[in-house]
Amino acid sequence: MLFDLTRLTAYLVAVLALILTPGPDTMLVLARSLGQGRKAGIVSALGIFVGCLFHIGAAAFGLSALLATSALAFSVVKWVGAAYLVWMGVQMLRTPDAGPEVVKALPPKGLSRIFRDGVVTNVLNPKVAVFFLAFLPQFVVAAEGSTGLQFLGLGLMFSVTGTLWLMVLAATAGTFGGWMRRNPRVEAWQKRVTGGVFVALGARLALQRQD
């Protein structure tokens, strides 16, 4: 069994907290949907999904090879990743309330160009790579099966869940975009919840026995 229920539940809670927090991907899909319609927003979300697959593959094959080479090196990666998640959570908790984040429509483009933009934007974003390298190892346990399959499974859960959410936003862009502009404190509240989850993940790793 690759994932025990407790670990999988903790992972899914973290994933849901993250994807519900408006970020660059959310803004891109909303902006594209408002400017060109539902189909354009969905295509943009699919492009982002393909970009995520690149980072998942890199994390899966790279970190699995590291584990096979040196358990100590992998343990160091996990601890550094945990520290990064705690730091990111603290930054979210400390971020002051901002004014409304206006989602501006983007000029029309062909669907193939929109898809490509989604892929390229995600692949070339170093923060996405760093996040996967920090986030996924916290839920991988070598004793419970293939680490490569665990990385791929966790990454796909994250990407599929996030893509489905982005598609929902694309389908309801007009309503959701207006709602965000009328409720500027929602983003700050979501950041605090996600920040607390990330800090808790780091603490969980610090308190549990290492495998």
Side-chain angles (χ1 to χ4, degrees):
M1 183 175 181
L2 289 179
F3 306 110
D4 64 77
L5 183 60
T6 300
R7 185 160 51 100
L8 185 59
T9 300
Y11 178 75
L12 292 176
V13 168
V15 166
L16 290 174
L18 182 66
I19 66 173
L20 292 176
T21 302
D25 291 346
T26 302
M27 296 305 146
L28 177 61
V29 170
L30 284 176
R32 184 55 67 192
S33 300
L34 291 173
Q36 207 168 335
R38 178 185 306 175
K39 183 181 291 186
I42 291 175
V43 169
S44 183
L46 291 174
I48 291 169
F49 172 75
V50 172
C52 278
L53 294 181
F54 172 84
H55 293 292
I56 293 167
F61 294 111
L63 291 177
S64 293
L66 181 63
L67 178 61
T69 304
S70 170
L72 176 60
F74 186 79
S75 181
V76 170
V77 169
K78 289 188 71 171
W79 278 102
V80 171
Y84 173 76
L85 292 177
V86 170
W87 176 83
M88 190 163 60
V90 170
Q91 292 297 107
M92 288 182 177
L93 292 171
R94 294 178 60 188
T95 300
D97 292 348
E101 184 167 2
V102 178
V103 180
K104 297 181 179 179
L106 295 174
K109 289 184 179 180
L111 292 180
S112 60
R113 178 66 182 275
I114 290 172
F115 179 82
R116 187 178 67 186
D117 285 351
V119 175
V120 172
T121 299
N122 198 276
V123 168
L124 297 182
N125 186 349
K127 290 185 178 179
V128 178
V130 172
F131 176 77
F132 275 116
L133 290 173
F135 188 59
L136 296 184
Q138 313 310 318
F139 300 92
V140 172
V141 179
E144 294 187 7
S146 168
T147 56
L149 288 178
Q150 289 183 63
F151 276 118
L152 290 174
L154 293 170
L156 286 174
M157 286 181 208
F158 179 93
S159 295
V160 170
T161 304
T163 301
L164 290 175
W165 172 241
L166 291 177
M167 287 182 172
V168 170
L169 296 187
T172 58
T175 301
F176 190 81
W179 177 74
M180 286 183 65
R181 291 192 289 272
R182 293 193 302 271
N183 297 273
R185 293 186 178 277
V186 169
E187 182 183 1
W189 178 81
Q190 289 176 318
K191 282 184 178 179
R192 291 191 179 96
V193 171
T194 306
V197 170
F198 283 172
V199 170
L201 284 175
R204 169 181 172 272
L205 182 65
L207 293 174
Q208 73 180 8
R209 295 182 59 186
Q210 294 300 294
D211 298 293

